[in-house]
Amino acid sequence: MAPWSAAVDGRDAVFSYVPEVGAQPRIQPHAWRGRSVLVPVAAVPGLAAAVEAVLESTATAKVGGLDRWSRARVDRITECVYFDGPVLAGGRNGHTPVRTLFVAVADLRGLRLRLTAYLAAPGLA
C-alpha cells in the first residue's frame, strides 16, 4: 500500500500519501475537486492496494461508480497518470500537490476497476 494509507470517515474514503524525501512537487499527487486526480506512475500500485483495502472493509462499496471514472491517461512528460472522476476534495487547485484524497466510498469500485485496468496494461493508457 505504500506510499499510501487508507481510512474510512463516514461515507468517504480518505487516502493519505507520503512522498519520498526530496520528491519534486510535479511528481506528487494532485487533485481537482469533482474532476480528476493525478497520481505518479510509481504510486499507482499503492493507491490500488489502498482502494482494495477500503473495499474489503466496507460492505456498501461493492457496487457502483464505474461510469463516474475515466480510463487512465498517462502524461509521459510528468510520469503521472490522470483519472477523471468524482474526487471530493483536493488542494486549492490541481496545480498544488496534495497529500490527502477524499473519494466517496460508493465511487470506489469504479476507481478500483480503472486502477486495475491501468496496472494490467499500462502501455495502453
Side-chain angles (χ1 to χ4, degrees):
M1 199 167 14
W4 296 93
S5 63
V8 177
D9 183 12
R11 296 191 300 174
D12 299 335
V14 181
F15 301 99
S16 298
Y17 178 82
V18 178
E20 292 181 17
V21 174
Q24 297 178 7
R26 73 174 182 84
I27 55 172
Q28 294 180 31
H30 291 66
W32 289 261
R33 182 180 173 88
R35 291 189 13 219
S36 62
V37 63
L38 174 143
V39 180
V41 167
V44 172
L47 180 58
V51 168
E52 187 65 33
V54 171
L55 286 170
E56 288 176 2
S57 71
T58 55
T60 59
K62 303 295 186 223
V63 297
L66 179 60
D67 60 334
R68 302 202 57 187
W69 292 94
S70 72
R71 293 181 179 176
R73 293 187 333 268
V74 178
D75 183 328
R76 306 245 186 254
I77 295 171
T78 63
E79 298 180 11
C80 291
V81 184
Y82 287 90
F83 296 93
D84 293 336
V87 178
L88 297 175
R92 292 175 305 189
N93 61 53
H95 304 290
T96 305
V98 295
R99 293 195 179 180
T100 307
L101 300 175
F102 298 86
V103 179
V105 170
D107 291 326
L108 285 182
R109 182 174 172 268
L111 178 58
R112 180 188 63 184
L113 292 171
R114 297 304 188 191
L115 289 164
T116 302
Y118 167 75
L119 291 170
L124 298 178

